[in-house]
Amino acid sequence: MTSPDQDDKLDPAQERVLRKLRGFAAFSGLLMGFGFLALFGAIGYRVVAGWKSAPVNFEGTIRLPKGARVISAVPSGDLIAVTIERDGMVETRFFEASGHAPRGTIGYAAEP
């Protein structure tokens, strides 16, 4: 009678293939683990960074032309975009958030 250990003997070619498969599986598992760490690290960073950021308080007065009606004002980074209506025309003016100095104007017109 033969022992079960003798039945499990592999020839050298089969052992090489099995060793390569184990190596590929280990590499794949490590790569997937690093991927999960990177993903959860990025999510954690965004959550923690979101808690630290606070809205900036703006104070002061922005001078607009006489008779202008403010439609909207949107702060974005170091700029404030103010959309106004003046004499039936709509335009957006940009101001610095810190000193309220004018940075530019965009006018809107209908297509011909």
Side-chain angles (χ1 to χ4, degrees):
M1 201 169 199
T2 61
S3 71
D5 291 337
Q6 291 176 349
D7 292 340
D8 292 333
K9 297 284 185 185
L10 300 174
D11 65 356
Q14 290 174 333
E15 286 182 9
R16 265 185 284 140
V17 170
L18 190 59
R19 232 185 348 247
K20 280 186 179 182
L21 285 174
R22 286 180 182 153
F24 287 146
F27 177 74
S28 175
L30 282 172
L31 193 62
M32 186 174 60
F34 284 131
F36 279 126
L37 284 175
L39 175 70
F40 291 127
I43 291 171
Y45 171 76
R46 294 297 292 181
V47 168
V48 171
W51 287 336
K52 292 180 183 175
S53 65
V56 177
N57 292 332
F58 294 108
E59 292 183 19
T61 302
I62 294 177
R63 298 198 181 272
L64 298 173
K66 189 171 187 168
R69 184 175 68 90
V70 176
I71 297 173
S72 71
V74 179
S76 176
D78 63 338
L79 289 177
I80 301 173
V82 180
T83 303
I84 61 172
E85 181 181 357
R86 180 178 65 141
D87 299 328
M89 300 293 293
V90 177
E91 63 184 33
T92 301
R93 295 185 176 209
F94 298 94
F95 300 91
E96 288 181 1
S98 57
H100 306 298
R103 295 288 292 276
T105 302
I106 296 176
Y108 302 97
E111 289 185 11

